[in-house]
Amino acid sequence: MKFLYYHQYFSTPRGAGGTRSYEMARRLIARGHQVTMVCCQAQGGVTGLHTAFVHGMRDGCVDGIRVIELELPYSNYDSLTQRSLTFLKFAARSTLLAFQQEYDLLFATSTPLTAGIPGIFSRFFKRKPFVFEVRDLWPELPKEMGVISNPLILKALDVLEWLSYHTATACIGLSPGIVKGIVRRGILPEHVAMIPNGCDLDLFKPDQGEVLRPAGVSKTDFLAVFCGAHGLANGLGAVLDAAAELKQRGRKDIRMVFIGDGRLKPGLMNRAQKQKLDNCVFIDPVPKLKLISYLRGADAGLMILADVPAFYYGTSPNKFFDYISMGLPVLNNYPGWLADMITEHGCGIAVPPENPVAFADALEKMAAEPALLRQMGQNARILAAEHFDRTILSNRFADFLEQVA
């Protein structure tokens, strides 16, 4: 079968972005299907195409995937207006491509919510099966975060969300809360599959491969790593609050490294410099293969988000699955399904949000009890293997799409 796959932020492992779509496309190809991936020039992403753009587009084959990359640069540093325009331009050009390509099923993954627009048109006018994958609940998340407050825009997004779900032949949610959110809009539960992000156990090997630590961090320092976007949703001020608490306690041996980029990164760096938080280290985004080396050199992974109730059960962050793949204990600072899982499986510590004292206490406990830390790491790897093996999840994904098609 031929699948037309839309992911605005698609990246191969050679980039710094998430690789879920790459892995899912590769699984479909391994089963004998053809996949055409449509994407844009996302910050940190590497599509694998290097030819010049012709009429705003370039087209080629990358690891068996046909990739169509649109000349639409996107960055987390863009303003909300700039990003919204990019979303709309991508949706418009993607919709045109949906009428030009031959395929048996159209698959679109959010965010942004506008990713569903090509599928809506394809379903109405070409009568093709359409599967919509929901990574975050919109407009619930931006509304709760206060990013979007205009009632007309919120209503338009609400209508688009309803249309995307109800036009789709079936939906995929990446977390329990996302699945419930889709069902809450009137979709039958049997038409919604939960397929969370997965763990690449062959790529993330705790005891094999290069070990990297940032310059200035000694082998005896306890190192906690955060990898991912540095934006409003990530709430990384909480890590600096804990760093200030640790400095006050004189714990120079507990260090935190931030790997990634985003609009708030310059402000976080300025704050760390002003407060002389030399226990914080900032590193630019790195390709996934190098990120693995940094994770291998860390003692714990930081699962940090802003204290927004919609996040509690409505997100499936890549970084969490990268941490447990590497057998890293996880320090989580917000309630929800990940915090519940961390506690249940003993693979880290969950602390209350906006509580720097509890955050610092947890880091000190991890640093002081190496035997407990090792056990947490072993439990994390077991959790990854038993519940989130990407091979199993990608096969479930392919099964689902084949059934819908």
Side-chain angles (χ1 to χ4, degrees), residues 48-82:
L49 298 182
H50 304 289
T51 57
F53 286 95
V54 178
H55 303 302
M57 184 178 78
R58 57 185 174 188
D59 187 339
C61 186
V62 179
D63 299 338
I65 307 167
R66 181 192 173 196
V67 178
I68 298 177
E69 183 179 358
L70 302 179
E71 193 175 14
L72 290 171
Y74 175 86
S75 168
N76 289 328
Y77 285 90
D78 293 342
S79 68
L80 180 60
T81 301
Q82 288 174 310

PDB file of all heavy atoms in Angstrom, residues 48-82:
ATOM      1  N   GLY A  48      17.579  14.741   5.677  1.00  0.00           N
ATOM      2  CA  GLY A  48      18.445  13.919   4.850  1.00  0.00           C
ATOM      3  C   GLY A  48      18.516  14.364   3.407  1.00  0.00           C
ATOM      4  O   GLY A  48      19.305  13.821   2.625  1.00  0.00           O
ATOM      5  N   LEU A  49      17.720  15.372   3.031  1.00  0.00           N
ATOM      6  CA  LEU A  49      17.765  15.911   1.675  1.00  0.00           C
ATOM      7  C   LEU A  49      18.762  17.068   1.613  1.00  0.00           C
ATOM      8  O   LEU A  49      18.804  17.904   2.519  1.00  0.00           O
ATOM      9  CB  LEU A  49      16.378  16.396   1.242  1.00  0.00           C
ATOM     10  CG  LEU A  49      15.266  15.333   1.171  1.00  0.00           C
ATOM     11  CD1 LEU A  49      13.967  15.969   0.689  1.00  0.00           C
ATOM     12  CD2 LEU A  49      15.664  14.186   0.257  1.00  0.00           C
ATOM     13  N   HIS A  50      19.535  17.123   0.532  1.00  0.00           N
ATOM     14  CA  HIS A  50      20.561  18.164   0.417  1.00  0.00           C
ATOM     15  C   HIS A  50      20.499  18.913  -0.917  1.00  0.00           C
ATOM     16  O   HIS A  50      21.253  19.857  -1.116  1.00  0.00           O
ATOM     17  CB  HIS A  50      21.954  17.538   0.577  1.00  0.00           C
ATOM     18  CG  HIS A  50      22.123  16.767   1.851  1.00  0.00           C
ATOM     19  ND1 HIS A  50      22.209  17.376   3.085  1.00  0.00           N
ATOM     20  CD2 HIS A  50      22.186  15.423   2.078  1.00  0.00           C
ATOM     21  CE1 HIS A  50      22.343  16.446   4.032  1.00  0.00           C
ATOM     22  NE2 HIS A  50      22.328  15.258   3.444  1.00  0.00           N
ATOM     23  N   THR A  51      19.631  18.510  -1.809  1.00  0.00           N
ATOM     24  CA  THR A  51      19.528  19.188  -3.094  1.00  0.00           C
ATOM     25  C   THR A  51      18.875  20.559  -2.918  1.00  0.00           C
ATOM     26  O   THR A  51      18.261  20.840  -1.892  1.00  0.00           O
ATOM     27  CB  THR A  51      18.696  18.345  -4.076  1.00  0.00           C
ATOM     28  OG1 THR A  51      17.408  18.104  -3.505  1.00  0.00           O
ATOM     29  CG2 THR A  51      19.373  17.022  -4.368  1.00  0.00           C
ATOM     30  N   ALA A  52      19.004  21.408  -3.927  1.00  0.00           N
ATOM     31  CA  ALA A  52      18.413  22.748  -3.866  1.00  0.00           C
ATOM     32  C   ALA A  52      16.889  22.654  -3.969  1.00  0.00           C
ATOM     33  O   ALA A  52      16.341  21.725  -4.571  1.00  0.00           O
ATOM     34  CB  ALA A  52      18.959  23.604  -5.007  1.00  0.00           C
ATOM     35  N   PHE A  53      16.227  23.627  -3.352  1.00  0.00           N
ATOM     36  CA  PHE A  53      14.777  23.708  -3.473  1.00  0.00           C
ATOM     37  C   PHE A  53      14.417  24.211  -4.873  1.00  0.00           C
ATOM     38  O   PHE A  53      15.053  25.128  -5.395  1.00  0.00           O
ATOM     39  CB  PHE A  53      14.198  24.668  -2.431  1.00  0.00           C
ATOM     40  CG  PHE A  53      14.192  24.109  -1.031  1.00  0.00           C
ATOM     41  CD1 PHE A  53      15.232  24.388  -0.155  1.00  0.00           C
ATOM     42  CD2 PHE A  53      13.150  23.299  -0.599  1.00  0.00           C
ATOM     43  CE1 PHE A  53      15.226  23.877   1.138  1.00  0.00           C
ATOM     44  CE2 PHE A  53      13.148  22.779   0.684  1.00  0.00           C
ATOM     45  CZ  PHE A  53      14.183  23.064   1.556  1.00  0.00           C
ATOM     46  N   VAL A  54      13.412  23.599  -5.463  1.00  0.00           N
ATOM     47  CA  VAL A  54      12.895  24.020  -6.763  1.00  0.00           C
ATOM     48  C   VAL A  54      11.416  24.335  -6.590  1.00  0.00           C
ATOM     49  O   VAL A  54      10.638  23.476  -6.181  1.00  0.00           O
ATOM     50  CB  VAL A  54      13.083  22.918  -7.833  1.00  0.00           C
ATOM     51  CG1 VAL A  54      12.490  23.374  -9.163  1.00  0.00           C
ATOM     52  CG2 VAL A  54      14.552  22.564  -7.980  1.00  0.00           C
ATOM     53  N   HIS A  55      11.066  25.603  -6.874  1.00  0.00           N
ATOM     54  CA  HIS A  55       9.686  26.062  -6.677  1.00  0.00           C
ATOM     55  C   HIS A  55       9.207  25.783  -5.240  1.00  0.00           C
ATOM     56  O   HIS A  55       8.075  25.347  -5.003  1.00  0.00           O
ATOM     57  CB  HIS A  55       8.744  25.407  -7.681  1.00  0.00           C
ATOM     58  CG  HIS A  55       9.128  25.640  -9.113  1.00  0.00           C
ATOM     59  ND1 HIS A  55       9.255  26.909  -9.657  1.00  0.00           N
ATOM     60  CD2 HIS A  55       9.430  24.762 -10.101  1.00  0.00           C
ATOM     61  CE1 HIS A  55       9.611  26.802 -10.937  1.00  0.00           C
ATOM     62  NE2 HIS A  55       9.734  25.522 -11.226  1.00  0.00           N
ATOM     63  N   GLY A  56      10.127  26.032  -4.286  1.00  0.00           N
ATOM     64  CA  GLY A  56       9.760  25.920  -2.876  1.00  0.00           C
ATOM     65  C   GLY A  56       9.638  24.508  -2.355  1.00  0.00           C
ATOM     66  O   GLY A  56       9.016  24.278  -1.312  1.00  0.00           O
ATOM     67  N   MET A  57      10.295  23.542  -3.014  1.00  0.00           N
ATOM     68  CA  MET A  57      10.146  22.155  -2.596  1.00  0.00           C
ATOM     69  C   MET A  57      11.351  21.339  -3.060  1.00  0.00           C
ATOM     70  O   MET A  57      11.965  21.655  -4.072  1.00  0.00           O
ATOM     71  CB  MET A  57       8.862  21.581  -3.211  1.00  0.00           C
ATOM     72  CG  MET A  57       8.522  20.168  -2.797  1.00  0.00           C
ATOM     73  SD  MET A  57       6.952  19.621  -3.544  1.00  0.00           S
ATOM     74  CE  MET A  57       7.539  19.246  -5.210  1.00  0.00           C
ATOM     75  N   ARG A  58      11.716  20.330  -2.297  1.00  0.00           N
ATOM     76  CA  ARG A  58      12.686  19.358  -2.777  1.00  0.00           C
ATOM     77  C   ARG A  58      12.182  17.955  -2.416  1.00  0.00           C
ATOM     78  O   ARG A  58      11.449  17.774  -1.443  1.00  0.00           O
ATOM     79  CB  ARG A  58      14.078  19.616  -2.223  1.00  0.00           C
ATOM     80  CG  ARG A  58      14.232  19.646  -0.718  1.00  0.00           C
ATOM     81  CD  ARG A  58      15.661  20.036  -0.375  1.00  0.00           C
ATOM     82  NE  ARG A  58      15.870  20.239   1.057  1.00  0.00           N
ATOM     83  CZ  ARG A  58      16.984  20.737   1.575  1.00  0.00           C
ATOM     84  NH1 ARG A  58      17.974  21.103   0.783  1.00  0.00           N
ATOM     85  NH2 ARG A  58      17.108  20.895   2.887  1.00  0.00           N
ATOM     86  N   ASP A  59      12.611  16.990  -3.220  1.00  0.00           N
ATOM     87  CA  ASP A  59      12.014  15.662  -3.181  1.00  0.00           C
ATOM     88  C   ASP A  59      13.128  14.643  -3.345  1.00  0.00           C
ATOM     89  O   ASP A  59      13.984  14.781  -4.219  1.00  0.00           O
ATOM     90  CB  ASP A  59      10.995  15.575  -4.335  1.00  0.00           C
ATOM     91  CG  ASP A  59      10.173  14.298  -4.325  1.00  0.00           C
ATOM     92  OD1 ASP A  59      10.606  13.310  -3.713  1.00  0.00           O
ATOM     93  OD2 ASP A  59       9.092  14.295  -4.942  1.00  0.00           O
ATOM     94  N   GLY A  60      13.160  13.626  -2.485  1.00  0.00           N
ATOM     95  CA  GLY A  60      14.188  12.602  -2.613  1.00  0.00           C
ATOM     96  C   GLY A  60      13.894  11.419  -1.725  1.00  0.00           C
ATOM     97  O   GLY A  60      12.913  11.400  -0.977  1.00  0.00           O
ATOM     98  N   CYS A  61      14.772  10.428  -1.786  1.00  0.00           N
ATOM     99  CA  CYS A  61      14.597   9.202  -0.997  1.00  0.00           C
ATOM    100  C   CYS A  61      15.622   9.181   0.131  1.00  0.00           C
ATOM    101  O   CYS A  61      16.822   9.379  -0.106  1.00  0.00           O
ATOM    102  CB  CYS A  61      14.755   7.979  -1.889  1.00  0.00           C
ATOM    103  SG  CYS A  61      14.385   6.424  -1.042  1.00  0.00           S
ATOM    104  N   VAL A  62      15.158   8.962   1.348  1.00  0.00           N
ATOM    105  CA  VAL A  62      16.023   8.910   2.520  1.00  0.00           C
ATOM    106  C   VAL A  62      15.717   7.624   3.285  1.00  0.00           C
ATOM    107  O   VAL A  62      14.607   7.457   3.815  1.00  0.00           O
ATOM    108  CB  VAL A  62      15.809  10.130   3.440  1.00  0.00           C
ATOM    109  CG1 VAL A  62      16.702  10.033   4.668  1.00  0.00           C
ATOM    110  CG2 VAL A  62      16.063  11.427   2.695  1.00  0.00           C
ATOM    111  N   ASP A  63      16.668   6.703   3.325  1.00  0.00           N
ATOM    112  CA  ASP A  63      16.504   5.439   4.053  1.00  0.00           C
ATOM    113  C   ASP A  63      15.215   4.722   3.671  1.00  0.00           C
ATOM    114  O   ASP A  63      14.515   4.160   4.522  1.00  0.00           O
ATOM    115  CB  ASP A  63      16.539   5.697   5.566  1.00  0.00           C
ATOM    116  CG  ASP A  63      17.859   6.303   6.025  1.00  0.00           C
ATOM    117  OD1 ASP A  63      18.863   6.139   5.311  1.00  0.00           O
ATOM    118  OD2 ASP A  63      17.877   6.961   7.080  1.00  0.00           O
ATOM    119  N   GLY A  64      14.894   4.773   2.392  1.00  0.00           N
ATOM    120  CA  GLY A  64      13.716   4.088   1.887  1.00  0.00           C
ATOM    121  C   GLY A  64      12.441   4.902   1.923  1.00  0.00           C
ATOM    122  O   GLY A  64      11.423   4.496   1.362  1.00  0.00           O
ATOM    123  N   ILE A  65      12.482   6.065   2.576  1.00  0.00           N
ATOM    124  CA  ILE A  65      11.312   6.930   2.692  1.00  0.00           C
ATOM    125  C   ILE A  65      11.394   8.004   1.610  1.00  0.00           C
ATOM    126  O   ILE A  65      12.415   8.693   1.495  1.00  0.00           O
ATOM    127  CB  ILE A  65      11.251   7.626   4.071  1.00  0.00           C
ATOM    128  CG1 ILE A  65      11.363   6.613   5.208  1.00  0.00           C
ATOM    129  CG2 ILE A  65       9.974   8.458   4.206  1.00  0.00           C
ATOM    130  CD1 ILE A  65      11.627   7.253   6.567  1.00  0.00           C
ATOM    131  N   ARG A  66      10.344   8.168   0.836  1.00  0.00           N
ATOM    132  CA  ARG A  66      10.305   9.310  -0.075  1.00  0.00           C
ATOM    133  C   ARG A  66       9.948  10.543   0.750  1.00  0.00           C
ATOM    134  O   ARG A  66       8.905  10.580   1.412  1.00  0.00           O
ATOM    135  CB  ARG A  66       9.256   9.106  -1.172  1.00  0.00           C
ATOM    136  CG  ARG A  66       9.226  10.277  -2.159  1.00  0.00           C
ATOM    137  CD  ARG A  66       8.023  10.242  -3.062  1.00  0.00           C
ATOM    138  NE  ARG A  66       7.957  11.459  -3.874  1.00  0.00           N
ATOM    139  CZ  ARG A  66       6.871  11.854  -4.517  1.00  0.00           C
ATOM    140  NH1 ARG A  66       5.746  11.162  -4.447  1.00  0.00           N
ATOM    141  NH2 ARG A  66       6.891  12.963  -5.230  1.00  0.00           N
ATOM    142  N   VAL A  67      10.827  11.538   0.748  1.00  0.00           N
ATOM    143  CA  VAL A  67      10.630  12.750   1.547  1.00  0.00           C
ATOM    144  C   VAL A  67      10.365  13.942   0.631  1.00  0.00           C
ATOM    145  O   VAL A  67      11.140  14.206  -0.296  1.00  0.00           O
ATOM    146  CB  VAL A  67      11.857  13.043   2.444  1.00  0.00           C
ATOM    147  CG1 VAL A  67      11.651  14.334   3.227  1.00  0.00           C
ATOM    148  CG2 VAL A  67      12.117  11.876   3.391  1.00  0.00           C
ATOM    149  N   ILE A  68       9.271  14.651   0.888  1.00  0.00           N
ATOM    150  CA  ILE A  68       8.979  15.922   0.219  1.00  0.00           C
ATOM    151  C   ILE A  68       9.112  17.011   1.279  1.00  0.00           C
ATOM    152  O   ILE A  68       8.324  17.069   2.223  1.00  0.00           O
ATOM    153  CB  ILE A  68       7.559  15.941  -0.386  1.00  0.00           C
ATOM    154  CG1 ILE A  68       7.412  14.852  -1.459  1.00  0.00           C
ATOM    155  CG2 ILE A  68       7.262  17.316  -0.986  1.00  0.00           C
ATOM    156  CD1 ILE A  68       6.014  14.755  -2.048  1.00  0.00           C
ATOM    157  N   GLU A  69      10.146  17.827   1.137  1.00  0.00           N
ATOM    158  CA  GLU A  69      10.425  18.889   2.115  1.00  0.00           C
ATOM    159  C   GLU A  69      10.041  20.235   1.512  1.00  0.00           C
ATOM    160  O   GLU A  69      10.531  20.611   0.448  1.00  0.00           O
ATOM    161  CB  GLU A  69      11.901  18.878   2.504  1.00  0.00           C
ATOM    162  CG  GLU A  69      12.251  19.906   3.574  1.00  0.00           C
ATOM    163  CD  GLU A  69      13.733  19.855   3.949  1.00  0.00           C
ATOM    164  OE1 GLU A  69      14.474  19.004   3.401  1.00  0.00           O
ATOM    165  OE2 GLU A  69      14.148  20.683   4.778  1.00  0.00           O
ATOM    166  N   LEU A  70       9.151  20.947   2.187  1.00  0.00           N
ATOM    167  CA  LEU A  70       8.714  22.249   1.725  1.00  0.00           C
ATOM    168  C   LEU A  70       9.630  23.336   2.277  1.00  0.00           C
ATOM    169  O   LEU A  70      10.071  23.262   3.431  1.00  0.00           O
ATOM    170  CB  LEU A  70       7.269  22.505   2.159  1.00  0.00           C
ATOM    171  CG  LEU A  70       6.238  21.473   1.683  1.00  0.00           C
ATOM    172  CD1 LEU A  70       4.851  21.828   2.204  1.00  0.00           C
ATOM    173  CD2 LEU A  70       6.230  21.365   0.168  1.00  0.00           C
ATOM    174  N   GLU A  71       9.893  24.330   1.454  1.00  0.00           N
ATOM    175  CA  GLU A  71      10.788  25.424   1.854  1.00  0.00           C
ATOM    176  C   GLU A  71      10.032  26.395   2.761  1.00  0.00           C
ATOM    177  O   GLU A  71       9.667  27.501   2.378  1.00  0.00           O
ATOM    178  CB  GLU A  71      11.327  26.149   0.628  1.00  0.00           C
ATOM    179  CG  GLU A  71      12.499  27.082   0.936  1.00  0.00           C
ATOM    180  CD  GLU A  71      13.102  27.694  -0.311  1.00  0.00           C
ATOM    181  OE1 GLU A  71      12.461  27.627  -1.389  1.00  0.00           O
ATOM    182  OE2 GLU A  71      14.205  28.242  -0.225  1.00  0.00           O
ATOM    183  N   LEU A  72       9.811  25.928   3.988  1.00  0.00           N
ATOM    184  CA  LEU A  72       9.099  26.719   4.998  1.00  0.00           C
ATOM    185  C   LEU A  72       9.882  26.634   6.306  1.00  0.00           C
ATOM    186  O   LEU A  72       9.645  25.747   7.138  1.00  0.00           O
ATOM    187  CB  LEU A  72       7.675  26.184   5.203  1.00  0.00           C
ATOM    188  CG  LEU A  72       6.674  26.403   4.070  1.00  0.00           C
ATOM    189  CD1 LEU A  72       5.389  25.632   4.341  1.00  0.00           C
ATOM    190  CD2 LEU A  72       6.363  27.901   3.922  1.00  0.00           C
ATOM    191  N   PRO A  73      10.850  27.520   6.507  1.00  0.00           N
ATOM    192  CA  PRO A  73      11.636  27.474   7.747  1.00  0.00           C
ATOM    193  C   PRO A  73      10.761  27.688   8.970  1.00  0.00           C
ATOM    194  O   PRO A  73       9.859  28.530   8.970  1.00  0.00           O
ATOM    195  CB  PRO A  73      12.630  28.633   7.574  1.00  0.00           C
ATOM    196  CG  PRO A  73      12.642  28.929   6.111  1.00  0.00           C
ATOM    197  CD  PRO A  73      11.266  28.609   5.617  1.00  0.00           C
ATOM    198  N   TYR A  74      11.037  26.897  10.007  1.00  0.00           N
ATOM    199  CA  TYR A  74      10.292  27.014  11.266  1.00  0.00           C
ATOM    200  C   TYR A  74      11.265  26.981  12.430  1.00  0.00           C
ATOM    201  O   TYR A  74      12.169  26.142  12.475  1.00  0.00           O
ATOM    202  CB  TYR A  74       9.280  25.869  11.406  1.00  0.00           C
ATOM    203  CG  TYR A  74       8.564  25.878  12.740  1.00  0.00           C
ATOM    204  CD1 TYR A  74       7.415  26.648  12.916  1.00  0.00           C
ATOM    205  CD2 TYR A  74       9.050  25.157  13.817  1.00  0.00           C
ATOM    206  CE1 TYR A  74       6.772  26.681  14.147  1.00  0.00           C
ATOM    207  CE2 TYR A  74       8.414  25.181  15.059  1.00  0.00           C
ATOM    208  CZ  TYR A  74       7.275  25.943  15.214  1.00  0.00           C
ATOM    209  OH  TYR A  74       6.642  25.987  16.431  1.00  0.00           O
ATOM    210  N   SER A  75      11.072  27.902  13.389  1.00  0.00           N
ATOM    211  CA  SER A  75      11.938  27.965  14.560  1.00  0.00           C
ATOM    212  C   SER A  75      11.120  28.282  15.797  1.00  0.00           C
ATOM    213  O   SER A  75      10.124  29.008  15.736  1.00  0.00           O
ATOM    214  CB  SER A  75      13.017  29.042  14.365  1.00  0.00           C
ATOM    215  OG  SER A  75      13.695  29.302  15.575  1.00  0.00           O
ATOM    216  N   ASN A  76      11.554  27.725  16.925  1.00  0.00           N
ATOM    217  CA  ASN A  76      10.902  28.047  18.200  1.00  0.00           C
ATOM    218  C   ASN A  76      11.120  29.505  18.598  1.00  0.00           C
ATOM    219  O   ASN A  76      10.442  30.012  19.495  1.00  0.00           O
ATOM    220  CB  ASN A  76      11.440  27.138  19.313  1.00  0.00           C
ATOM    221  CG  ASN A  76      10.955  25.707  19.163  1.00  0.00           C
ATOM    222  OD1 ASN A  76       9.852  25.465  18.681  1.00  0.00           O
ATOM    223  ND2 ASN A  76      11.784  24.748  19.554  1.00  0.00           N
ATOM    224  N   TYR A  77      12.073  30.161  17.920  1.00  0.00           N
ATOM    225  CA  TYR A  77      12.312  31.572  18.208  1.00  0.00           C
ATOM    226  C   TYR A  77      11.318  32.479  17.476  1.00  0.00           C
ATOM    227  O   TYR A  77      11.246  33.669  17.746  1.00  0.00           O
ATOM    228  CB  TYR A  77      13.738  31.965  17.820  1.00  0.00           C
ATOM    229  CG  TYR A  77      14.796  31.463  18.777  1.00  0.00           C
ATOM    230  CD1 TYR A  77      15.410  30.234  18.600  1.00  0.00           C
ATOM    231  CD2 TYR A  77      15.184  32.232  19.880  1.00  0.00           C
ATOM    232  CE1 TYR A  77      16.382  29.778  19.478  1.00  0.00           C
ATOM    233  CE2 TYR A  77      16.150  31.787  20.762  1.00  0.00           C
ATOM    234  CZ  TYR A  77      16.743  30.559  20.557  1.00  0.00           C
ATOM    235  OH  TYR A  77      17.702  30.110  21.434  1.00  0.00           O
ATOM    236  N   ASP A  78      10.568  31.915  16.540  1.00  0.00           N
ATOM    237  CA  ASP A  78       9.578  32.716  15.815  1.00  0.00           C
ATOM    238  C   ASP A  78       8.473  33.179  16.762  1.00  0.00           C
ATOM    239  O   ASP A  78       8.159  32.500  17.751  1.00  0.00           O
ATOM    240  CB  ASP A  78       8.941  31.883  14.687  1.00  0.00           C
ATOM    241  CG  ASP A  78       9.928  31.528  13.595  1.00  0.00           C
ATOM    242  OD1 ASP A  78      10.980  32.187  13.518  1.00  0.00           O
ATOM    243  OD2 ASP A  78       9.648  30.594  12.829  1.00  0.00           O
ATOM    244  N   SER A  79       7.889  34.326  16.443  1.00  0.00           N
ATOM    245  CA  SER A  79       6.757  34.809  17.233  1.00  0.00           C
ATOM    246  C   SER A  79       5.548  33.913  16.988  1.00  0.00           C
ATOM    247  O   SER A  79       5.516  33.112  16.038  1.00  0.00           O
ATOM    248  CB  SER A  79       6.418  36.247  16.844  1.00  0.00           C
ATOM    249  OG  SER A  79       5.912  36.282  15.518  1.00  0.00           O
ATOM    250  N   LEU A  80       4.529  34.059  17.830  1.00  0.00           N
ATOM    251  CA  LEU A  80       3.313  33.271  17.660  1.00  0.00           C
ATOM    252  C   LEU A  80       2.682  33.540  16.304  1.00  0.00           C
ATOM    253  O   LEU A  80       2.205  32.615  15.631  1.00  0.00           O
ATOM    254  CB  LEU A  80       2.318  33.601  18.783  1.00  0.00           C
ATOM    255  CG  LEU A  80       0.974  32.860  18.742  1.00  0.00           C
ATOM    256  CD1 LEU A  80       1.182  31.353  18.829  1.00  0.00           C
ATOM    257  CD2 LEU A  80       0.057  33.343  19.874  1.00  0.00           C
ATOM    258  N   THR A  81       2.717  34.808  15.871  1.00  0.00           N
ATOM    259  CA  THR A  81       2.159  35.155  14.563  1.00  0.00           C
ATOM    260  C   THR A  81       2.941  34.481  13.436  1.00  0.00           C
ATOM    261  O   THR A  81       2.351  33.929  12.504  1.00  0.00           O
ATOM    262  CB  THR A  81       2.171  36.685  14.367  1.00  0.00           C
ATOM    263  OG1 THR A  81       1.402  37.291  15.408  1.00  0.00           O
ATOM    264  CG2 THR A  81       1.585  37.067  13.026  1.00  0.00           C
ATOM    265  N   GLN A  82       4.279  34.525  13.527  1.00  0.00           N
ATOM    266  CA  GLN A  82       5.119  33.885  12.499  1.00  0.00           C
ATOM    267  C   GLN A  82       4.867  32.381  12.442  1.00  0.00           C
ATOM    268  O   GLN A  82       4.737  31.797  11.367  1.00  0.00           O
ATOM    269  CB  GLN A  82       6.598  34.152  12.796  1.00  0.00           C
ATOM    270  CG  GLN A  82       7.050  35.582  12.538  1.00  0.00           C
ATOM    271  CD  GLN A  82       8.487  35.800  12.983  1.00  0.00           C
ATOM    272  OE1 GLN A  82       8.871  35.457  14.109  1.00  0.00           O
ATOM    273  NE2 GLN A  82       9.301  36.363  12.108  1.00  0.00           N
TER     274      GLN A  82
END
